Each structure stands twice: as C-alpha cells, then as structure tokens.
Amino acid sequence: MKHRLKKVLMVLVAVWMVVPLFVPAAAADGTQHSLNRYFQEAATEYEVPVEVLMAVGYAESRWNDHQGKPSQSNGYGIMHLVDNPEQQTLQAASRLTGISENELKIDIKQNIRGAAAVLADIAKEQNDGQLPQELGQWYTVVAEYAGYKNDYVTKIYADEVFRLIEEGVQRKVDGETLVIHPTTVHPEKGAYQDVEIPIIGGKADAPFVRWAPAHSSNFTEANREADGNNIDTVVIHTTQGSYSGAISWFQNPSANVSAHYVIRSSDGEITQSVSTKNIAWHAGNWSYNVRSIGIEHEGYVDQPGWYTDAMYRASANLTRYLCDTFAIPRNRDRIIGHNEVPGATHTDPGPLWDWNRYMTLVNQ
Ligand SMILES: [Zn+2]
C-alpha cells in the first residue's frame, strides 16, 4: 500500500515536471505571431509595397494591436481599421476579404491582410483599375486610407507615413525585430501638394502650434480670458490613437469630445484644436472643463514607447507658457492627469507617464 502510494506520487511528480515544459512549446506553436511574416504575406497577396503597409501600421499603432481594444475614434488593431459614422475601413476590409469584422478586429494577421486589401482597393480606384508602379504614387492612397475629412490633417498623416519610409524604423515587438529600411522616395502628393498646414503662435515665447479647429459641436464657446482669469488647471491626457487621428476625431461631429492641444510623439509637434478662451470637452467633469486647458499626448496608456523626450519637452514648454499666461501655479495641484480629475473614469496618462521628469521640465 505504502509502495503503491509512493509510485503514484512519483508519477504525479513526473507529470507535474513534464507538463510545464510541454505547455509553452505547444502554445508557441499555436499562437506565436510573426509580424514580419504577416506584413510580407499581406503585401505579396495584395501587391501593396511592404514599406507602405508597415509604415501605416507603425504610424497608427507602433505595431501594437491593443488586444482588440478600440482607439478613441473606434479603430482596431495594428492597422487601425476604423468603424465610426464618418469613416469605415473596417467594413471595407470585411467586404474585400470576406472575413468578419470581429475577426478583423482581434486577429493580428487578418487585421494586416484587411488593411492591405483596403489600400489595394483605394489604389486601383485612384488609378483606373491599376496598381501604382512607383512607391511615391502610394501617397494619395495612404491619404485616402486615413479617411479624414480635413485636407491638412490628412496631409499630416500621409507626410508622417512617408517620413517613416524615408528615414526608416526599427522596433522590437514581443521579441521580434521589425525593420523598415530607409528608402528614398519621391511622394507624388497630387492635390495635397498645395495644401497649407496653418501655423499660429511663435510670438514672444508662445510656442509654434498648428491650427486645426475642432467641430463646433465638440466644445463650448466662452470668453474665458476676458472673464478674469478663471483658467487655473492644466489636464494631461493620452490620445488612445494617433496624433492626426485625434485631431481629426475632434473635427468629427459625432465625437462629442475635444482638447485644446494635441502633441505628436515622434517630434513634439503641437496642434491646437480649441482656442483657450473656449471650453474643450476633455475632463469628463464640467467644473474641470470650465476652468482647465486640456493637452492630449499621442499614444496609448498601456503601451511603452510613445512618451518620447521630444514630446515631454514640447509639452512642458507649452504648459510653462500656459501657466505663465494664465497665472497657473506650476505644481501638481494645478497640473494634473485626467485620472486625477474627480469622478474620472479614464486612467490617462497612466503609470508610464513620468511626472517627476515632466514637472522638472515645466519648472526649468
Ligand atoms: Zn483623457
């Protein structure tokens, strides 16, 4: 009896030791992704240059699929297939590939395939049924893929994608290294060539900002500066989407949100969407909206790599300027995260945001 018990125990121990060794191997076989392979296969299948496909993915998500969770403007996956009243690349991808919208949202491989199908479809539509021969001819295709209504916000997006192709990108995603090799390209911008992206500010110590006004239904007109300096707080946000995506979303009448400023991750470029005299809808708390200025930072709360040095510096400069202009004390009581607004349901800017570093820069 004792002997049999010992034998059973030994078998159990043996199983316990072997099983953990086998489980990861089996899981790796079934679920490990190769983004390089997915990009290459989708590019080949739909005859889209792999640089274009990868650069669009990088601009949208830094090649992170966010486990199927939507962006602020309801875009999904690495390629940000969008499902909102003004923009429908998710539906188009489903129609072109025969894959369900739900699968396109959550399956990384199909998300990339779906985007390739949409890009190829736009390309053919723009070129009498033919695919472009030159890399630079994909500029207007990328522009249309963005699906924005405003020409200069679209230009910001397509310029960014082609900058990535021109300068190249290297990034490790889940242990896999993805590379866009720097490629000389001459974007044929078509109608976007002459689109001007307005710049305001730059006077005295006001930072240079681009101006892309939000839709009038997404903020409240006010006269805050003349009302006797009733602005006393700066609220720090994360876009949960791309820079141009956030700017465009604020121009979308179905958004019902806005912020005064949006800052780009790659270089700290700032776009203003709402004048500081008006009340942007960003804090989710009316009394805070009324007295605050909202600054959005390109990125996702749970994804490292978006909060760059360039973005911290640009944002800190802007906040310092706003504090000086509106006599806002430069401390953490008055410069707060969205998550610190009473009743906030949002967690941005999240634990990856380096408050010590930020406040040091603000007080420099
Ligand atoms: Zn927020």
Side-chain angles (χ1 to χ4, degrees), residues 235-238 282 296 338 346 348:
V235 181
I236 300 298
H237 298 269
T238 311
H282 59 97
E296 289 276 2
H338 188 180
H346 289 221
D348 57 318

Side-chain angles (χ1 to χ4, degrees), residues 204-258:
D205 49 359
F208 284 99
V209 298
R210 297 203 184 282
W211 172 244
H215 193 269
S216 60
S217 65
N218 291 333
F219 64 91
T220 301
E221 285 203 43
N223 203 8
R224 298 199 295 177
E225 279 140 280
D227 277 347
N229 262 352
N230 46 9
I231 299 171
D232 65 5
T233 305
V234 174
V235 181
I236 300 298
H237 298 269
T238 311
T239 53
Q240 297 297 108
S242 71
Y243 171 68
S244 52
I247 299 162
S248 178
W249 185 234
F250 299 156
Q251 297 185 326
N252 185 325
S254 53
N256 292 316
V257 288
S258 61

